[in-house]
Amino acid sequence: MTTRRTLLAGAGAVAGAGFIGFQPALAAIRPPVARVEPVVMSRFGITTTDPYRWMENPKDPDWLPYAKGQGAYARHVLDRIPGRAALEKRISGLSGGTEAVREIQRAGDNLFLTVRPAGASTIRLEVKGPDGNRRVLLDPNLMKGEDGVHISIDWWRASPDGAYVVYGSSPAGSEESVGRIIRVADGITLRETFQRALFGPALWLPDSSGFFLNRLSDKSVPGSPEYFMKSVCWLHKLGQDPKDDLNVATYGLNKVLDLTEVEVPIIFPSDDSKFALLLGVDGVRREVSIWSASLDGIVAGSPAWTKICAQNDKITGYALSGSTLYLVSEKESPLGRVVAIDLEIPNLVNAKEVVPASKNPIEGIGVASDGLYIQIMDGGPQGLRRLSKNGELSDVKMPFEAGIYAIFGNVNRPGIDMVLGGWLQHRGIWNYSPDTDTFSDTGLSPTPNIDLTPFESKRYLAKAKDGTQIPYVVISAKNATRRGPAPCLADAYGAYQISNTPFLNLRWPAMMEQGGIFMFASVRGGGDYGRPWYEAGKKATKFNTWNDYIACCEDMIARGLTSPSKLTIKGTSAGGIAVGRAMTTRPDLFAGVICDVGSMNSSRTEVEQNGPGNFPEFGDPSVAEDYRNLVGMDTYLNVKDDIAYPAVMVITGATDPRVAPYHGAKLAARLQVLPKQKKPVLMRVTFDEGHGIGSTREQIDSKSADEYAFTLWRAGVPGFQPRA
């Protein structure tokens, strides 16, 4: 039987302050009660009841009032936590006190940089000429979209000669990029614009006369499951009307290019090769399909494509130099090996092994004029190997235990530039010189004036249910646990073979100065030990992801680092599965739970625009075995009526293109009406943010302040307890 409740901003699910579980002063307003319209569905012998299925439709007349009411309630509660305002002020000082350089590209005689100036809100694009002077090419800090929302640079790429830059920008963190071209000499923006250019960056022809750019189909409907399907790779020549661009590759274009509907076609030329590659990128898979053809034939509109590999060949990396194509193969070597083929006679069967498999998984490869660079993983920290032009393979000594966040190389220049960071080492741009076999800090990204000596990082191992040793890292002040268990904000991800690599968030000291600590768990489903670690937390084995998370938390508690009354866990995006199912499996273990733009209703991803692209990772709900797995990892469906859960803060952005806002909204609504739920359930909503990509510094500061204040509040820290 379907019932309907009127949506009232002042109504509470259960009368009285006891529902929210804290002082009456914070009960001045209550969260809106969501309309209930149960939908019963039976699939493959599994019957589910969803009382909030209507939230999947953002055009439902009740959706926006409900989201605004929840957001207002969460803001009311969070802003009344003593210490939160001072915490945000401290965070802002830490995050904005120093200029930050994020990306660089050397092109022609110019050096291009994305820079967030000290105190600025978003990054801007600058160019440093041969005279050493820097000037601004594009500054979103001076731009506003409709209704005054902020603009973000989503992607950019300079032409090989350094004369032009093509970039994509979007409003309010939506990632709905529109492409444009800037002439570097005078900063003029050319007339060409490129709608639906979400899959940047553009890749230039070697002669800088034009570029290849993927754009969504003009038949795409935002919000629909088909939104990202059948995208098109176009060739644009400078000065040409985009409506006259050449359709180079898309689903169904010809029989040789057997792209699937979800594969994103990307043309990858090389500055020193007469060949170009066509990559078929299937959603979130690391594996790619690859075709090759002569670049001249592609530009002329008559390419003779040769298929190099398909998805099931398990090629997860590529690099092109001259007629040599280097590939990372994981088909017979799960940790990866590098093979090379000659594109004059392309045949994967006859590929020659040039870098054998080792104990360290290969994460990626790239070429420079002096050789091939191989990025490797070692349980979190990353390293580098180099294959010289004469075939000599050597290990490159890293300057510290680092995470590698970007590599910038060029086939026409020796060495590489890398963005490196550590758990307590400031992120910077380092250059590796093959001549001296050493790294040097380029100084392009100034070191923040933040003293990190009071803090330390320690690595521990926790024993999982099946006996596997799960690494985790704790970041804290050196004396944080001297007086007993500390307030802790723990984090885990565990998806897409993404590793828990060392990094530093400049906002951390704000919470550590209050006695708090951070934990980062390398759960299975990530890539810390390569494909085997990834496969052990995927689909049918996904339960290992949240069980590993629980094991790390239990190990911390056993060591006296924290306690259940002081421990808040967090998961972001795909990490929502880890945090949500940890909560529903062991609600007694945590004081707080933060679900940040998290996947909380995984069995329903078929209805959202980013769902089909994620089928290879989590499962296709139209397949019986996959659907059972999806229900098993679905936090929303695993909430029980007779359980009291920890305090929960769901975070969502209204423009999120990757995880639809209904995920968090459904979970919040479900938890808020549970008979035994006495602890607060908040739904933090912002309406000018998306998945976090493109958020301003101030927006990130505000969210961090909310997360830290929530953690300290639930841990009972005196300075963060609301007054009665």
Side-chain angles (χ1 to χ4, degrees):
M1 174 176 167
T2 300
T3 61
R4 181 184 178 92
R5 295 182 186 172
T6 303
L7 190 71
L8 297 174
V14 178
F19 163 62
I20 52 178
F22 52 95
Q23 292 86 343
L26 291 183
I29 65 169
R30 296 174 183 155
V33 176
R35 182 177 98 222
V36 175
E37 287 185 358
V39 175
V40 179
M41 186 176 76
S42 293
R43 179 182 271 182
F44 303 122
I46 300 172
T47 300
T48 59
T49 301
D50 185 348
Y52 306 116
R53 181 69 57 86
W54 64 269
M55 292 185 182
E56 294 173 3
N57 177 16
K59 296 182 180 179
D60 187 288
D62 283 346
W63 166 251
L64 190 57
Y66 173 76
K68 286 185 175 181
Q70 287 284 351
Y73 173 69
R75 194 70 270 143
H76 175 80
V77 172
L78 293 165
D79 286 344
R80 290 177 68 92
I81 299 174
R84 187 215 168 274
L87 199 63
E88 182 171 5
K89 184 177 180 180
R90 173 62 172 148
I91 288 171
S92 179
L94 290 166
S95 71
T98 307
E99 177 183 272
V101 176
R102 304 294 177 83
E103 298 176 287
I104 68 170
Q105 181 189 347
R106 302 182 192 275
D109 293 327
N110 291 326
L111 173 67
F112 297 87
L113 317 88
T114 48
V115 180
R116 186 197 51 75
S121 179
T122 59
I123 63 170
R124 68 190 188 192
L125 180 63
E126 298 184 3
V127 59
K128 182 178 181 180
D131 59 1
N133 294 322
R134 279 165 51 176
R135 58 186 171 89
V136 178
L137 283 178
L138 176 67
D139 190 354
N141 294 287
L142 305 178
M143 303 161 62
K144 294 292 181 183
E146 293 184 11
D147 301 322
V149 298
H150 70 277
I151 302 294
S152 301
I153 301 174
D154 296 324
W155 52 262
W156 63 276
R157 184 66 62 90
S159 59
D161 62 6
Y164 297 91
V165 171
V166 58
Y167 74 95
S169 63
S170 64
S174 65
E175 302 178 58
E176 296 288 331
S177 291
V178 174
R180 295 179 176 87
I181 305 168
I182 297 175
R183 189 167 57 213
V184 174
D186 54 14
I188 296 296
T189 299
L190 305 188
R191 60 176 182 165
E192 298 105 299
T193 60
F194 309 91
Q195 302 295 327
R196 306 177 307 282
L198 277 66
F199 295 127
L203 296 172
W204 286 87
L205 295 170
D207 64 1
S208 300
S209 64
F211 50 80
F212 298 100
L213 178 63
N214 184 282
R215 296 164 59 193
L216 299 187
S217 167
D218 58 8
K219 298 179 181 179
S220 294
V221 178
S224 72
E226 295 80 25
Y227 185 52
F228 293 121
M229 293 184 179
K230 300 180 182 179
S231 64
V232 182
C233 186
W234 301 91
L235 171 62
H236 176 76
K237 301 303 288 286
L238 289 175
Q240 179 175 277
D241 191 322
K243 69 180 179 61
D244 297 324
D245 287 353
L246 177 66
N247 181 340
V248 178
T250 190
Y251 169 78
L253 184 63
N254 60 52
K255 293 182 179 180
V256 178
L257 295 180
D258 53 340
L259 290 157
T260 66
E261 291 180 294
V262 297
E263 281 185 308
V264 176
I266 298 172
I267 300 290
F268 181 83
S270 174
D271 290 351
D272 71 342
S273 180
K274 68 178 183 180
F275 296 99
L277 306 178
L278 168 62
L279 309 176
V281 183
D282 184 354
V284 297
R285 285 184 181 177
R286 286 167 55 89
E287 299 90 346
V288 292
S289 302
I290 301 178
W291 295 259
S292 70
S294 75
L295 183 59
D296 287 345
I298 298 171
V299 172
S302 55
W305 293 111
T306 298
K307 189 162 189 177
I308 305 297
C309 63
Q311 295 280 343
N312 59 11
D313 289 311
K314 294 187 177 179
I315 299 299
T316 59
Y318 58 90
L320 175 61
S321 180
S323 64
T324 301
L325 174 61
Y326 298 97
L327 301 170
V328 178
S329 173
E330 296 185 2
K331 189 168 187 178
E332 297 174 355
S333 303
L335 300 185
R337 64 191 183 108
V338 181
V339 299
I341 63 175
D342 186 349
L343 290 182
E344 298 284 2
I345 44 172
N347 190 325
L348 187 60
V349 174
N350 297 327
K352 176 185 176 183
E353 181 177 271
V354 293
V355 179
S358 70
K359 64 181 181 66
N360 297 118
I362 295 175
E363 293 228 306
I365 56 176
V367 287
S369 64
D370 59 289
L372 180 73
Y373 288 86
I374 304 101
Q375 182 178 333
I376 59 174
M377 168 59 63
D378 188 13
Q382 294 172 303
L384 196 66
R385 308 183 81 188
R386 175 176 173 269
L387 181 70
S388 68
K389 286 290 188 179
N390 62 13
E392 181 181 348
L393 181 65
S394 59
D395 292 321
V396 175
K397 184 179 180 181
M398 301 295 289
F400 53 86
E401 187 175 87
I404 300 173
Y405 293 94
I407 296 179
F408 311 108
N410 189 298
V411 293
N412 295 320
R413 290 184 172 90
I416 54 172
D417 297 304
M418 306 174 71
V419 179
L420 302 179
W423 290 117
L424 288 171
Q425 285 83 27
H426 289 293
R427 184 175 295 200
I429 299 176
W430 293 69
N431 175 262
Y432 172 74
S433 168
D435 293 336
T436 60
D437 190 26
T438 57
F439 276 96
S440 60
D441 189 339
T442 63
L444 290 170
S445 189
T447 300
N449 186 25
I450 299 173
D451 184 10
L452 299 175
T453 57
F455 310 110
E456 64 183 0
S457 65
K458 290 186 177 181
R459 189 172 188 264
Y460 300 92
L461 292 173
K463 188 175 182 180
K465 292 179 71 173
D466 62 0
T468 302
Q469 296 292 310
I470 312 299
Y472 67 92
V473 172
V474 175
I475 314 294
S476 68
K478 291 177 180 177
N479 61 352
T481 59
R482 187 173 299 169
R483 296 182 180 179
C488 178
L489 179 56
D491 200 308
Y493 190 71
Y496 308 129
Q497 205 171 331
I498 293 174
S499 304
N500 188 31
T501 54
F503 74 103
L504 172 65
N505 186 333
L506 294 179
R507 299 169 177 87
W508 290 344
M511 193 174 97
M512 292 192 289
E513 290 163 358
Q514 302 296 327
I517 66 175
F518 294 89
M519 185 270 269
F520 300 92
S522 296
V523 298
R524 282 173 285 186
D528 301 73
Y529 295 105
R531 180 175 286 272
W533 197 256
Y534 167 55
E535 297 286 356
K538 179 183 178 184
K539 291 188 177 180
T541 58
K542 191 63 184 172
F543 60 87
N544 282 326
T545 300
W546 61 84
N547 284 336
D548 290 353
Y549 199 3
I550 291 169
C552 291
C553 292
E554 290 177 326
D555 193 77
M556 282 192 76
I557 293 167
R559 295 177 188 271
L561 300 174
T562 190
S563 67
S565 65
K566 296 179 180 293
L567 174 59
T568 289
I569 55 172
K570 175 186 172 183
T572 301
S573 191
I577 295 172
V579 71
R581 291 297 280 117
M583 175 189 74
T584 53
T585 303
R586 287 293 308 277
D588 60 304
L589 198 60
F590 315 112
V593 176
I594 299 174
C595 309
D596 182 15
V597 295
S599 177
M600 317 309 297
N601 189 200
S602 54
S603 65
R604 291 293 294 163
T605 52
E606 63 189 303
V607 303
E608 62 180 311
Q609 66 181 26
N610 202 30
N614 275 284
F615 289 173
E617 177 71 21
F618 303 114
D620 182 344
S622 67
V623 177
E625 182 180 2
D626 282 1
Y627 184 67
R628 284 191 290 272
N629 296 332
L630 286 164
V631 171
M633 67 182 79
D634 191 311
T635 297
Y636 174 63
L637 293 182
N638 280 279
V639 170
K640 306 300 182 187
D641 289 337
D642 59 346
I643 299 293
Y645 291 97
V648 174
M649 180 166 65
V650 167
I651 298 173
T652 190
T655 64
D656 193 335
R658 299 180 183 232
V659 177
Y662 73 75
H663 282 264
K666 284 187 182 184
L667 179 64
R670 178 87 170 90
L671 291 172
Q672 284 174 346
V673 299
L674 292 178
K676 294 186 177 181
Q677 186 64 27
K678 304 302 181 184
K679 295 178 180 177
V681 176
L682 310 177
M683 179 178 165
R684 182 191 188 274
V685 189
T686 50
F687 295 90
D688 56 351
E689 281 186 277
H691 202 63
I693 299 168
S695 293
T696 67
R697 181 179 62 84
E698 288 90 343
Q699 288 173 329
I700 299 170
D701 289 348
S702 177
K703 185 174 77 167
S704 298
D706 287 341
E707 293 175 348
Y708 299 172
F710 179 86
T711 299
L712 296 167
W713 168 34
R714 301 318 302 168
V717 175
F720 292 83
Q721 303 309 301
R723 296 177 181 178

